[in-house]
Amino acid sequence: MEFSGQVPERRLGADGPWVPALALGSWHTWDRMDRDEAADLVRTAVGRGARLFDVAHYDSGPHAEGAVTDVLFGEAVRAAGIERDRYLLCGKLWLWDYPAASFAEQLKVALGRIGTARADYVVAGDFLGETDLRAVVTDIAELVRAGRFTAWGVNNWSADDIGFACRFAADEGLVPPTFAQLKYSLARRSVPEGAPFAALCAREGLALQASDVLEGGILAGRLEPRRRIGADPGGIRDRIRAAYPEVERAAARFEATPAQLAIAYCLTHPAAANVLVGVSGLRQFEENLGALALLERHGGELRDAVSRLWLDRGVVDPGASWGTDAPSTPRT
């Protein structure tokens, strides 16, 4: 299925900025292309309206892997001749070494590696309940006040912890998070579609940014990815592999690819602002754009078509943090 138009935009939270519905991630992506192909991808993505790039410096906690994908992204942007005001940049602030590694210093290093002076948005990384959330919100709000970026979100936090951050920000007159970046796919729905997150979205106007939507490529047919992929909350990855033929059959009903079905499904979530996809070439990006045509033509039918593929139901707690099996400790 092909999509010939411009990528539409959605609001990143009730009071957040407008962003493209399809955005590009960076984990093990830009390091799988040569220089010319990376530049072509950046140029094409911006030209089609997919101008938001989620780019992180993977240097701490489980991500201390010496990756240079962020550096390569910056080189691709320069090779493509794309001026900074033509694209949106979302960075990450890691909590693993915080506060020893301050957010201001992390941001300075991350932006320096890309070769730019500013981000548009940031995501506060995985929270495991061992950090002072008051300090996190205060320090991020200070960077917003200083003009380092304009909006922020969280990555795989529990609904309780996000709610605490929103309440604390409101009480202190600080800028609250406007979106949550969550692991979400045809198979992994318990947290994004669970009652705790739904209530939070309704109460705080929070948006969903879906990540890991293709399960590292498994839901696109690459059943044994050769690169490192995300965590496996609930231990259901083998079940996802086994269910892939059903994904193929559902996609064929709509004359779409499995990847297009997986992306379009996530965009049917009522709070979804956009989907992050990781691509390793221009052809893959253009295929993923077809998800938008599928959504336009069959959006109302997609959920019923894949209703049996919810594989973490009853396995992962809907109130969980980081997709783990148990919720984090509530902050009151």
Side-chain angles (χ1 to χ4, degrees), residues 5 34 64 72 76 78 91 127 152 168 213 217 231:
D34 64 32
L72 296 175
R78 290 187 288 277
F127 177 67
W152 67 285
F168 176 74
V213 301

Side-chain angles (χ1 to χ4, degrees), residues 19-69:
V19 295
L22 193 69
L24 297 186
S26 66
W27 196 37
H28 295 294
T29 58
W30 302 102
D31 50 357
R32 290 188 289 146
M33 291 173 268
D34 64 32
R35 177 186 173 91
D36 290 341
E37 187 169 25
D40 285 344
L41 175 58
V42 169
R43 192 180 298 113
T44 302
V46 171
R48 295 298 301 274
R51 60 192 186 98
L52 173 60
F53 300 91
D54 180 279
V55 183
H57 178 203
Y58 296 104
D59 67 333
S60 65
H63 301 303
E65 54 197 43
V68 295
T69 186

Side-chain angles (χ1 to χ4, degrees), residues 1-4 7 22 24 41 44 48 214 217-222 244 247-248 251 255-264 267 277-295:
M1 186 168 293
E2 295 185 0
F3 179 75
S4 59
V7 174
L22 193 69
L24 297 186
L41 175 58
T44 302
R48 295 298 301 274
L214 297 178
I218 293 173
L219 290 173
R222 294 181 290 279
Y244 179 71
V247 178
E248 283 188 305
E255 299 183 332
T257 68
Q260 289 169 348
L261 174 62
I263 293 168
L267 287 169
V277 294
V279 302
S280 56
L282 186 56
R283 181 177 178 180
Q284 188 179 5
F285 169 71
E286 290 173 338
E287 176 190 330
N288 289 347
L289 282 176
L292 300 174
L294 175 61
L295 184 68

